[in-house]
Amino acid sequence: MNEIVNNIWLEFSSYTQLIIKGLLIGIIASAPMGPVGILCIRRTLRKGRIYGLVTGAGAALSDILYALITGAGMAFAVNFIENKQNIFWMKLIGAVVLFAFGLYLFRSLPKAVPESNQPQKGNGTLWSNFLTAFLLTLSNPLIIFLFLAVYNMFTFVIPNHWFAQALGYLSIVGGAMLWWGGLTWVLVHMNDRLGNNFAQTLNRIIGTLVIIGSVLTIVKTLFNPAFLFFLD
């Protein structure tokens, strides 16, 4: 009986970790204030929260396509990561890449999306707002390198298990939509308090958090202190 309970608990724990990792990956992939982030801010402030949300949903759909492509390309690594030495280097390299990404974010100045990417008549349909955000995000395949970095850092390689795969990728979508939902909520409820440099400030906050997370992962990988158990 105890063995059955332990097996159920272990399976529940592994799925919980998978969901948390997926949510974090979705947030990390969506958070940088590039053209789509600026587009979401503009549409939320000018048209309303629903337009900002569908813009984020379009970006999330593009992100999950790249996440699937990255995951399919890493499927061969299932046997590779069974070696603890390989896991060590994957996490370390992923954390270093994310550190550089966080530093870049902290120092970057977000550029506004060209006006031609926005509907010219009124607010446009929700579908057109969704589609323009999807295409704008899809035009940046370099996001694959970001997914590679976070997959390595979190050891997010899902074996041939359809339920785990679905759960992991749905969690990435959930993380992305958590980000866009939170961002649009802040924009609607704090519009009067936000300064002109809001996007740049947000990038600096996100960059700082990514840097801290990558440094903690490097420390965990190299020295394995007990208090960083949550990065396992």
Side-chain angles (χ1 to χ4, degrees):
M1 183 67 179
N2 288 336
E3 185 177 351
I4 295 176
V5 172
N6 288 335
N7 288 337
I8 293 174
W9 171 251
L10 287 174
E11 190 165 355
F12 174 78
S13 178
S14 65
Y15 285 142
T16 302
Q17 287 187 7
L18 182 64
I19 291 171
I20 293 173
K21 289 178 180 180
L23 290 173
L24 289 174
I25 290 172
I27 292 171
I28 291 173
S30 303
M33 280 292 104
V36 176
I38 300 297
L39 190 62
C40 179
I41 291 173
R42 282 187 179 182
R43 287 177 173 174
T44 302
L45 296 178
R46 293 180 182 179
K47 305 176 182 181
R49 189 182 181 196
I50 185 63
Y51 286 91
L53 280 174
V54 297
T55 298
L61 177 60
S62 178
D63 284 344
I64 197 59
L65 289 179
Y66 281 126
L68 287 167
I69 292 171
T70 307
M74 293 185 70
F76 74 93
V78 173
N79 294 327
F80 178 79
I81 65 168
E82 290 180 354
N83 186 306
K84 290 185 177 180
Q85 188 70 16
N86 293 337
I87 292 177
F88 171 86
W89 287 110
M90 285 174 66
K91 285 193 171 185
L92 191 60
I93 293 171
V96 170
V97 171
L98 272 188
F99 178 87
F101 176 68
L103 191 62
Y104 167 79
L105 268 184
F106 185 87
R107 300 180 61 183
S108 66
L109 179 64
K111 295 180 180 179
V113 66
E115 293 294 333
S116 59
N117 283 321
Q118 299 196 49
Q120 298 299 312
K121 296 182 180 180
N123 288 341
T125 64
L126 292 176
W127 168 248
S128 68
N129 281 255
F130 174 90
L131 186 60
T132 52
F134 169 75
L135 294 175
L136 187 60
T137 308
L138 195 66
S139 67
N140 181 26
L142 294 179
I143 195 173
I144 287 178
F145 292 102
L146 176 58
F147 278 117
L148 281 173
V150 289
Y151 279 13
N152 286 340
M153 188 172 118
F154 292 117
T155 323
F156 191 82
V157 179
I158 305 172
N160 295 323
H161 191 304
W162 71 266
F163 181 76
Q165 289 176 344
L167 189 63
Y169 291 122
L170 284 174
S171 298
I172 293 177
V173 176
M177 291 313 299
L178 274 177
W179 169 257
W180 295 117
L183 176 62
T184 54
W185 185 91
V186 169
L187 291 171
V188 168
H189 288 83
M190 300 185 66
N191 186 14
D192 296 334
R193 303 179 187 179
L194 300 176
N196 294 328
N197 295 324
F198 171 70
Q200 185 178 13
T201 302
L202 194 58
N203 259 1
R204 287 181 175 175
I205 294 172
I206 296 163
T208 300
L209 292 176
V210 171
I211 289 171
I212 292 172
S214 61
V215 169
L216 289 177
T217 300
I218 291 172
V219 172
K220 172 67 175 178
T221 304
L222 293 176
F223 305 107
N224 198 30
F227 68 90
L228 293 179
F229 66 91
F230 55 88
L231 290 176
D232 288 332

